[in-house]
Amino acid sequence: MAYQNITAATEDGVAVVTLNRPDVLNALNQTTMNELVDACEGFDRDEAVRCIVITGAGRAFAAGADIKEMAGASAPQMLAGYRFQQWERIRKITTPIIAAVNGLALGGGCELAMLCDIIVASETAQFGQPEINLGIMPGAGGTQRLTRAIGKYRAMEMVLTGRPIPARQAEAWGLVTKVVPPEVVLDEAKGMAREIAGKAPVAVRLAKESVLKAFDTHLEGGLDFERKCFYLLFATEDRAEGISAFLEKRKAIFKGR
Ligand code: DAK
């Protein structure tokens, strides 16, 4: 599929998807979201792709959902969900996703970053949930994932004042994995992605699923799920290869089987 609002490329088992509407700070309109989902789902089905990086062109990662597009929407249209189903589909991607947040990550942009599994941010990036300034509130995880990441009191401040926070603050609050100079943010994310791409693919997918399980289950259920995944990995050839490689003091060659 030829894309209008994103670019997508793969190299060394890593796919890079770039939101590419810099004139409007990569505002996430329907077409952009459809294309993002299409690309991510395609990469998720592609066994050669072991990690996905999402970034933005220009000075923003994404400044949120496209306000102009939302302007004409009615409550029943919003409730019907046709505009927003794509967000759930990104949540279901099993390949690890790294957000390389090059600049502004506001509203849906911050929520998109939080949908990713790892967030690498530029020193110049800013994170915020400014929906309150539009008379609305976050609708794609900004009250839930943000609260789980940084706690009630900080999330309340961000959601109720709408004020963005700089990357270093986000790092101190546990919202981002790592902050790096702007010129290396994509390389850093790609390097991390390549590292993950070199691991045993089935173990990576089950480990991602297991960590995410911690968000929607109680401890006993989560531990139970983790144990089942752990046992399952003993049925893979990669487990035998990984352990043999360690014992033979050589680099493991994983095949995803
Ligand atoms: N939508 C559409 N256009 C946007 C935009 C956005 N979110 N953000 C910026 N732009 C456009 C501006 O209109 C301007 O376009 P022109 O006027 O040149 O045509 C261009 O990008 C450059 O922006 P500025 O001229 O405003 O640049 P400044 O540096 O002066 O200001 C800014 C940068 C980021 C502070 C400002 O642009 C701004 O406040 N933008 C709006 C940020 C915002 O409020 N974001 C939250 C939107 S609401 C859901 C899923 C998602 C959502 C909800 C539910 N479900 C699954 C249910 C998400 C909602 C949102 O994100």
Side-chain angles (χ1 to χ4, degrees):
M1 177 170 166
Y3 297 123
Q4 209 182 305
N5 294 345
I6 66 166
T7 61
T10 56
E11 195 185 323
D12 300 334
V14 173
V16 178
V17 181
T18 306
L19 305 168
N20 194 24
R21 297 177 81 209
D23 294 350
V24 288
L25 306 180
N26 302 322
L28 301 165
N29 64 358
Q30 280 304 293
T31 306
T32 308
M33 287 305 298
N34 286 338
E35 292 182 355
L36 179 64
V37 169
D38 184 79
C40 288
E41 287 184 343
F43 290 135
D44 204 28
R45 286 190 297 268
D46 183 347
E47 280 190 15
V49 173
R50 306 275 173 85
C51 194
I52 300 169
V53 174
I54 300 178
T55 193
R59 65 187 172 104
F61 176 71
D66 191 313
I67 298 171
K68 286 172 199 146
E69 202 175 63
M70 276 198 305
S74 66
Q77 281 171 336
M78 286 290 175
L79 192 62
Y82 75 91
R83 284 168 184 266
F84 291 121
Q85 286 153 352
Q86 307 102 321
W87 296 78
E88 274 305 293
R89 287 166 64 184
I90 294 175
R91 187 170 72 85
K92 293 190 174 141
I93 300 289
T94 61
T95 307
I97 309 180
I98 301 179
V101 179
N102 49 300
L104 298 164
L106 303 177
C110 187
E111 290 169 315
L112 176 60
M114 290 191 291
L115 259 179
C116 297
D117 304 306
I118 290 173
I119 303 178
V120 177
S122 153
E123 282 163 349
T124 57
Q126 289 187 46
F127 294 80
Q129 298 291 160
E131 291 89 340
I132 202 81
N133 299 326
L134 302 171
I136 54 174
M137 60 175 274
T143 65
Q144 301 303 302
R145 289 193 187 91
L146 185 67
T147 305
R148 283 166 168 77
I150 67 177
K152 170 185 165 184
Y153 304 102
R154 291 160 172 169
M156 282 289 188
E157 183 185 348
M158 287 181 71
V159 169
L160 299 183
T161 69
R163 278 201 308 267
I165 57 167
R168 287 286 176 206
Q169 181 92 70
E171 183 185 37
W173 285 1
L175 180 56
V176 307
T177 311
K178 192 169 186 180
V179 177
V180 297
E183 60 279 11
V184 297
V185 66
L186 186 55
D187 283 345
E188 181 69 33
K190 282 182 359 190
M192 218 183 267
R194 274 195 300 274
E195 193 177 337
I196 293 167
K199 309 293 181 196
V202 183
V204 166
R205 288 185 186 223
L206 290 182
K208 165 172 171 165
E209 198 180 340
S210 206
V211 172
L212 289 177
K213 194 57 101 183
F215 286 95
D216 50 35
T217 189
H218 52 85
L219 185 61
E220 189 61 31
L223 289 170
D224 196 40
F225 182 82
E226 180 190 76
R227 247 185 329 263
K228 301 257 162 58
C229 292
F230 178 82
Y231 296 147
L232 186 60
L233 289 171
F234 273 71
T236 64
E237 289 176 25
D238 281 347
R239 188 272 319 180
E241 164 64 8
I243 291 177
S244 300
F246 174 80
L247 296 174
E248 292 159 19
K249 300 189 187 302
R250 61 174 175 84
K251 192 174 174 338
I253 300 164
F254 294 119
K255 295 186 176 142
R257 289 201 289 270

